[in-house]
Amino acid sequence: MRPHRLSDPAFAALGAGRPDAETVAELRRAQFSRHLLLLREIRAAAPGASWSLLVAAERDDRDRVRAAIARPLTGVWAARCLTALRAGKLPEEAGVGYLEDLAAPPAGPVPRRLVADHDGLTISVRLEDRHPLRAQLGLTPADPLTDAEAARWQELFTDAWQLLTRVVRPQAEVLAQVLDCIVPVRPDPSARGISATSADAFGAVAMSEPADAAALAVGLLHETQHSLLNAVHYLFDLHREPDALGYSPWRDDPRPVSGILHGAYAYLGVTRFWRARPGDPMAAFEYARWRSAVADATDDLLRRGGLTPAGTRFVASLHAEVRPWLDEPVDPAVARLAAGANTDHHVRWRLRNRHVEPADARALAEAWRRGAPPPRVTSELRRAPRRALEASARLDLTHALLRGEVVDGSAGDLAYLRGDEEAAVRAYRERVIADPRDHAAWAGLALGGAPEVVAAAYQALDDPETDPITFAAWVSS
């Protein structure tokens, strides 16, 4: 089997989120090679398994068996099986018996499929609501779908495909090449919708039923970008220190730099989708917000210097793709809300994840009481105990405003939405004085400097007579 290679122009186009058909085909071939290598290692670790059945099945129907080996869920099984065997588990405990399923002819119900065609571009994917491995994508799978539920998925898929082919056809063409299956999962009550991919399952998407066709279109674009980048990571080392933690505009917890790149690459596709829908206030908001987030994240990755030469080439192509978008005009009112949402997220992220030693906070408070200059106090980043998706009541209000819905929130949030900065500051100041631990109020003030230091010191001060804005200006001095 020949080595897998990408030319420099093809690699740069892939970094920019514009791979051609041959590049995607090469990534698929590389993933198939990976599956074969995993099977070889499993055989070496468990030689007594039913390998003769698989060999005989391939001899009888080569195309069917190779298609089964190439599927995303086979990749997940193979990676986990090999890991379990190397950890000392017995073959039956590691799941080697799945080889018999690969070898056996299809039995039982025919898997559901989602099929759509628009303007000459067709897509067909498996709707895996019964596959025994569907839980291995990291989210809790939904129960097998009823016929009515499956029909709802098909309706959304048809509408989403029409939307994709109409507004971002080149991305739709890539999606048709990459996407192999969708695994319906249970919704998360705390999230608007959840989806995930696995590094071992190129072309598989686990997702809860989307609210509408646009949400499905965006979710599929987002997760397909993850699959592409996972395939790139298999062929190229992009990071020198992939686990170093930093700020991610898409999550409320610290993320490794490899995860930050994944977020930037996924949101490149999402941003391009919103860019192609002018005239829609919500689309303009999403476009303005995410173009800045992607540009800032990639700029930070390039500045940090932790990329390999291949990683630098990839991220530079991504950054060069999005950078010109920052100069494209957006309605000023929408641009203000988008910039505010990014600032809001960054401030809340710092308050959540950067720790200030209590003794340092007390030292600041004591210096204030004495009328002394503020001592220099820093904070340290701490790994979050669990995954945290973005959650913000103020962002929810912004979305409702842009959708033309009735907006009902706190006095500070309502003043912020209508652009009354003085009223917003007054309201947020009152909230901070009433509860110095109110992160949303601190973020609403959008104080300069290190907000986590200001907030920690103000809590230690425990003096409601002290104006938090005056105190923040003193700390920043």
Side-chain angles (χ1 to χ4, degrees):
M1 185 174 291
R2 67 176 179 81
H4 298 286
R5 294 190 177 94
L6 293 178
S7 68
D8 189 64
F11 187 71
L14 183 57
R18 293 182 281 102
D20 61 18
E22 179 51 34
T23 297
V24 177
E26 183 68 5
L27 294 178
R28 291 191 68 90
R29 288 191 291 267
Q31 288 297 300
F32 180 68
S33 296
R34 179 175 183 270
H35 291 191
L36 293 178
L37 289 171
L38 288 169
L39 288 176
R40 185 182 71 179
E41 294 301 308
I42 292 171
R43 183 174 185 178
S50 304
W51 293 99
S52 59
L53 294 175
L54 189 62
V55 171
E58 186 188 25
R59 188 181 302 116
D60 292 341
D61 193 342
R62 182 177 185 272
D63 291 344
R64 180 189 68 79
V65 172
R66 291 210 154 205
I69 291 173
R71 286 194 186 112
L73 296 182
T74 300
V76 172
W77 161 77
R80 296 195 176 190
C81 178
L82 181 58
T83 298
L85 290 169
R86 287 177 170 172
K89 288 193 175 182
L90 297 173
E92 57 269 23
E93 296 175 318
V96 172
Y98 184 68
L99 287 166
E100 297 180 12
D101 293 339
L102 285 177
V110 176
R112 300 182 190 271
R113 297 197 76 88
L114 297 174
V115 181
D117 177 86
H118 184 70
D119 196 21
L121 188 58
T122 300
I123 186 170
S124 176
V125 303
R126 298 160 71 91
L127 185 62
E128 296 284 18
D129 64 327
R130 292 177 173 83
H131 199 288
L133 300 176
R134 69 190 192 279
Q136 296 193 12
L137 292 181
L139 297 176
T140 304
D143 293 333
L145 302 177
T146 65
D147 289 344
E149 290 169 336
R152 171 64 176 162
W153 272 98
Q154 179 62 67
E155 178 186 1
L156 289 168
F157 192 74
T158 298
D159 293 344
W161 189 243
Q162 291 179 359
L163 183 59
L164 289 167
T165 54
R166 191 171 67 249
V167 303
V168 284
R169 187 180 179 94
Q171 286 183 272
E173 292 171 350
V174 173
L175 183 61
Q177 273 192 278
V178 173
L179 187 61
D180 177 271
C181 68
I182 296 175
V183 175
V185 301
R186 293 180 183 174
D188 183 343
S190 65
R192 301 173 187 87
I194 56 172
S195 62
T197 55
S198 166
D200 299 313
F202 179 83
V205 173
M207 103 178 349
S208 59
E209 182 180 305
D212 52 36
L216 178 55
V218 168
L220 293 179
L221 288 174
H222 182 279
E223 300 302 343
T224 297
Q225 291 286 101
H226 282 309
S227 273
L228 288 170
L229 186 52
N230 284 329
V232 172
H233 273 295
Y234 173 61
L235 295 175
F236 302 94
D237 289 327
L238 302 180
H239 308 278
R240 291 193 178 93
E241 296 180 349
D243 297 327
L245 295 178
Y247 170 66
S248 169
W250 304 281
R251 291 272 290 271
D252 282 355
D253 54 334
R255 295 290 291 151
V257 292
S258 58
I260 295 170
L261 175 54
H262 258 286
Y265 196 61
Y267 272 90
L268 174 69
V270 171
T271 306
R272 186 180 281 124
F273 173 81
W274 294 121
R275 179 174 180 253
R277 303 190 71 190
D280 179 345
M282 178 64 80
F285 171 80
E286 297 294 308
Y287 172 54
R289 185 181 184 196
W290 299 129
R291 67 179 180 179
S292 295
V294 173
D296 289 346
T298 50
D299 187 55
D300 185 59
L301 288 170
L302 292 169
R303 280 201 317 265
R304 291 171 71 161
L307 300 170
T308 64
T312 299
R313 181 77 170 109
F314 190 89
V315 176
S317 297
L318 201 170
H319 185 74
E321 181 73 9
V322 74
R323 178 61 186 83
W325 297 353
L326 299 177
D327 299 325
E328 296 180 350
V330 174
D331 178 85
V334 174
R336 177 185 68 83
L337 292 172
N342 285 342
T343 300
D344 186 5
H345 182 269
H346 197 187
V347 172
R348 287 187 294 104
W349 183 91
R350 291 188 64 112
L351 291 166
R352 173 187 171 92
N353 299 301
R354 297 201 66 91
H355 175 74
V356 179
E357 289 294 336
D360 290 340
R362 289 194 296 270
L364 270 171
E366 285 302 318
W368 168 268
R369 293 189 184 101
R370 297 195 312 269
R376 180 171 176 78
V377 172
T378 60
S379 61
E380 65 173 357
L381 182 63
R382 292 197 172 177
R383 185 182 293 273
R386 59 182 177 82
R387 182 185 190 214
L389 299 175
E390 182 185 23
S392 166
R394 191 157 37 239
L395 181 61
D396 292 339
L397 291 177
T398 301
H399 286 163
L401 175 70
L402 293 170
R403 287 193 295 262
E405 300 171 358
V406 175
V407 176
D408 185 16
S410 70
D413 288 345
L414 294 177
Y416 160 75
L417 290 179
R418 66 176 181 265
D420 189 341
E421 184 175 347
E422 290 186 5
V425 168
R426 285 196 303 270
Y428 291 133
R429 179 195 287 121
E430 290 173 3
R431 283 175 54 181
V432 167
I433 291 171
D435 181 7
R437 294 173 176 79
D438 188 339
H439 285 184
W442 281 110
L445 286 174
L447 300 170
E452 70 280 1
V453 172
V454 176
Y458 190 81
Q459 291 172 33
L461 186 63
D462 193 23
D463 178 12
E465 298 300 318
T466 297
D467 176 49
I469 295 179
T470 304
F471 184 74
W474 172 79
V475 172
S476 300
S477 69

